[in-house]
Amino acid sequence: MNTKEKILLSSPHLSDEGYEMQFVDEAFATGWIVPLGKNVDEFEKELAAKVGAKHAVALSSGTAAIHMALKAAGVGAGDIVFCQSLTFSATANPIIYENAIPVFIDSDLETWNMSPLALEKAFKKYSPKAVIVVHLYGLSADMDRIVELCRKHNAVLIEDAAESLGAKYKDRHTGTIGDYGVFSFNGNKIITTSGGGMLVSDHEERINKVKFWATQARDPARHYQHSELGYNYRMSNVLAGIGRGQLKVLDQRVKKKKEIFEFYRQELGGLDGVTMMPVHDWQEPNYWLSCFTTNGPVKPLEIIEALEKENIEARPIWKPMHLQPLYAKYDFIGERVADRIFETGLCLPSDTKMTVEDMRRVVNIIKSLWRQG
Ligand SMILES: *Cc1c(COP(=O)(O)O)cnc(C)c1O
């Protein structure tokens, strides 16, 4: 057994002030331990205000939010959906839930996210109903060019901002630039409700429609009548209370995540072959995870294993969807940049509860690997 204190990749971090419990207590005091209720309504309003979206609907997960965004976009059986390949599988799976057809789009090295060049090429070959772009690790995609291409080709733009709550692209919050934005409050995200998600949009009618679908699609009749397929996708009023409390410390969490990244950049950025994840002056990432690529003497897997021996959690970059057995049969448009980021990259522990000593433990292990070559 390893006696050294565990350093985690990214774990839930409750507010010092106990905000979460105050809202949860309120739900208990009123006995409103049900799906929906005041915490849900307020969490939707507070999150929408925070990111600058007009409307929001709280859901049971980020995955449910992507599913509902696709339905809201009118995606159905046989429709083509362009999807960033370099991402977590939950971005793509809802395309299959709807029996639609994913076409995977490459990333570029400038953003690690959807390559506008690959997207343009894809539009020459297909007419998709929707495009799902991801803001990976809290870095924003090149939205101006992606929005322009989607407008030109009449495709609905969905932003998977599951990892990027609090991140900005040119002064606008990620998730509010396309037609729909998706956030996740899973346990490892920058803020959490233990599990949950949110869909935001300026299309009020569509958000209301999602609220209808997500509460079992009950027609307005006294008896239980259904003319559409429903889902049980709403967030519980208890969990929304946790979310309201967490939202109050989002800015603090972003600040700490940035400090962690800056520390790693200073300490590791100069190592032979290391390139830190790309950050530009036109964006403010939330630095959900600190990542880098290396084509130097030490391979990512060796780093991950060396850290693991010292009870420190690190991870490979998401394996692109076009390399997944599940998705191998679908088309991929690009130059395999996503493959290279996957093969050479890794995610360092980025837990906001880390101390400077913890961060030093991490970089000392990595530096010693470089000294051994
Ligand atoms: C976490 C995540 C999701 C899914 O969110 P859940 O709330 O876990 O369902 C979707 N996309 C990306 C990129 C994620 O990181």
Side-chain angles (χ1 to χ4, degrees):
M1 207 193 107
N2 205 317
T3 51
K4 293 214 181 77
E5 205 184 322
K6 177 111 183 156
I7 299 178
L8 293 164
L9 190 79
S10 183
S11 70
H13 188 171
L14 293 172
S15 66
D16 295 336
E17 296 84 352
Y19 295 133
E20 297 85 354
M21 212 50 215
Q22 289 167 26
F23 291 117
V24 171
D25 275 344
E26 209 180 283
F28 272 77
T30 57
W32 214 242
I33 308 306
V34 291
L36 305 183
K38 184 183 166 202
N39 277 335
V40 170
D41 295 343
E42 295 300 315
F43 188 33
E44 287 170 348
K45 280 188 211 143
E46 288 159 6
L47 185 120
K50 175 78 193 169
V51 299
K54 288 212 177 89
H55 306 284
V57 46
L59 297 164
S60 53
S61 69
T63 311
I66 294 168
H67 187 189
M68 290 294 99
L70 287 169
K71 293 244 324 164
V75 170
D79 287 333
I80 302 277
V81 177
F82 289 170
C83 179
Q84 181 167 322
S85 188
L86 187 64
T87 187
F88 177 52
S89 63
T91 309
N93 290 343
I95 301 170
I96 306 298
Y97 302 166
E98 283 303 312
N99 295 307
I101 302 159
V103 170
F104 294 107
I105 311 291
D106 206 0
S107 285
D108 59 27
L109 286 176
E110 288 72 38
T111 64
W112 283 20
N113 290 306
M114 187 176 277
S115 154
L117 284 176
L119 180 62
E120 192 167 16
K121 211 167 142 195
F123 272 122
K124 292 200 173 106
K125 196 166 167 187
Y126 298 101
S127 297
K129 185 95 100 342
V131 173
I132 311 178
V133 64
V134 186
H135 304 292
L136 217 59
Y137 303 124
L139 303 169
S140 58
D142 187 353
M143 291 306 286
D144 282 348
R145 292 168 71 196
I146 292 167
V147 167
E148 191 187 315
L149 283 165
C150 289
R151 291 246 169 82
K152 185 171 153 197
H153 296 278
N154 252 321
V156 178
L157 181 55
I158 298 166
E159 296 176 75
D160 180 347
E163 301 178 359
S164 70
L165 179 60
K168 287 181 185 162
Y169 168 82
K170 296 187 180 175
D171 291 331
R172 287 173 74 184
H173 277 266
T174 57
T176 66
I177 301 157
D179 296 287
Y180 298 96
V182 167
F183 299 104
S184 165
F185 312 108
N186 193 20
N188 61 2
K189 297 289 161 38
I190 192 157
I191 63 168
T192 183
T193 59
S194 79
M198 190 86 74
L199 178 65
V200 301
S201 178
D202 288 349
H203 305 303
E204 184 175 18
E205 179 273 330
R206 293 280 83 191
I207 290 291
N208 286 337
K209 191 78 196 199
V210 168
K211 286 182 180 171
F212 168 76
W213 286 324
T215 41
Q216 308 283 25
R218 276 186 64 187
D219 291 342
R222 186 177 291 278
H223 52 276
Y224 283 78
Q225 177 171 300
H226 305 274
S227 31
E228 286 190 70
L229 183 62
Y231 302 83
N232 186 3
Y233 270 176
R234 284 290 253 159
M235 182 182 280
S236 103
N237 196 46
V238 178
L239 300 191
I242 303 175
R244 293 181 73 191
Q246 285 270 284
L247 199 55
K248 287 179 179 284
V249 293
L250 173 62
D251 292 345
Q252 280 176 48
R253 296 294 175 264
V254 174
K255 185 165 172 279
K256 174 72 188 213
K257 294 267 192 194
K258 183 174 183 178
E259 283 167 16
I260 294 168
F261 178 77
E262 292 301 343
F263 185 91
Y264 287 140
R265 172 151 71 183
Q266 281 220 325
E267 297 289 330
L268 305 174
L271 293 177
D272 182 25
V274 166
T275 309
M276 301 305 291
M277 64 185 191
V279 176
H280 304 279
D281 54 11
W282 45 260
Q283 71 185 164
E284 278 175 52
N286 74 355
Y287 302 93
W288 175 55
L289 296 183
S290 286
C291 309
F292 70 80
T293 57
T294 168
N295 49 28
V298 188
K299 299 280 160 277
L301 192 61
E302 294 171 57
I303 302 169
I304 292 169
E305 284 173 352
L307 290 171
E308 200 168 61
K309 279 201 197 103
E310 300 292 327
N311 214 13
I312 297 169
E313 189 186 12
R315 246 200 225 166
I317 298 289
W318 298 124
K319 182 174 182 175
M321 290 305 111
H322 70 275
L323 301 179
Q324 300 286 353
L326 175 66
Y327 287 119
K329 67 178 180 205
Y330 297 100
D331 201 1
F332 167 74
I333 311 279
E335 310 291 330
R336 301 196 166 271
V337 173
D339 308 40
R340 290 205 291 283
I341 297 170
F342 165 62
E343 283 156 15
T344 59
L346 78 156
C347 312
L348 293 171
S350 309
D351 196 71
T352 47
K353 294 197 291 271
M354 271 198 295
T355 61
V356 176
E357 293 72 53
D358 291 335
M359 291 186 252
R360 199 155 285 292
R361 245 176 85 196
V362 175
V363 303
N364 284 345
I365 294 163
I366 296 174
K367 283 175 169 173
S368 76
L369 289 173
W370 252 260
R371 276 196 297 274
Q372 294 156 23

